[in-house]
Amino acid sequence: MPLSEHEQRMLEQMERALYAEDPKFATALEGSGLRTYTRRRVYQAVAGFLVGIALLMVGVIVPQIWISVVGFLIMLGCAVLAVTGWRKAPKPGEAQQGGGGATPRRQGRQRRSMMTRIEERWQRRRDEQGH
């Protein structure tokens, strides 16, 4: 649900007051978010993937299969982390939602209402067919 004009003005005033009162804290809050965290996680996963490739190569050069297997497992795990982190990262234009507790509740209500609509349609079709 979008904010009303009055609420948007109040939010902007609160933001300006925060920047005026403590700009260092406001800047710190701005940089710490889901996007920064997921970007850092993806970079770590890519670095781990490269370590896995190195271990795989070492295992091939040195006749030790277990080193190659460990390298492959590290590569696989890091690839999964990178892909899931990349998918969860918000796009640059997306607004981050504050208060993580409210989002799942809204989604739950939305799903319930969707399920309710589907059930109502199903009942209407059954009634129309005379069952």
Side-chain angles (χ1 to χ4, degrees), residues 21-63:
E21 186 176 314
D22 195 356
K24 187 175 180 181
F25 178 68
T27 306
L29 284 179
E30 212 174 62
S32 66
L34 180 63
R35 184 167 175 220
T36 305
Y37 171 74
T38 52
R39 185 183 308 147
R40 186 179 319 128
R41 183 177 168 191
V42 169
Y43 290 152
Q44 290 171 348
V46 168
F49 188 83
L50 295 174
V51 168
I53 288 176
L55 283 175
L56 185 70
M57 293 299 172
V58 167
V60 169
I61 293 171
V62 178

Side-chain angles (χ1 to χ4, degrees), residues 2-19 95-96 98:
L3 297 174
S4 69
E5 288 181 33
H6 176 70
E7 291 170 333
Q8 287 177 350
R9 276 183 273 146
M10 293 289 291
L11 184 61
E12 288 172 2
Q13 288 176 355
M14 290 169 51
E15 287 175 355
R16 278 187 256 132
L18 178 64
Y19 274 107
Q96 294 181 7

Side-chain angles (χ1 to χ4, degrees), residues 95-103 106:
Q96 294 181 7
Q97 296 181 359
T103 304
R106 279 191 214 131

Side-chain angles (χ1 to χ4, degrees), residues 63-94:
Q64 296 290 330
I65 293 284
W66 66 272
I67 295 175
S68 294
V69 171
V70 169
F72 176 75
L73 291 176
I74 291 173
M75 287 172 50
L76 183 65
C78 289
V80 168
L81 283 175
V83 169
T84 57
W86 193 264
R87 286 183 183 170
K88 289 180 184 178
K91 305 291 182 254
E94 288 181 0

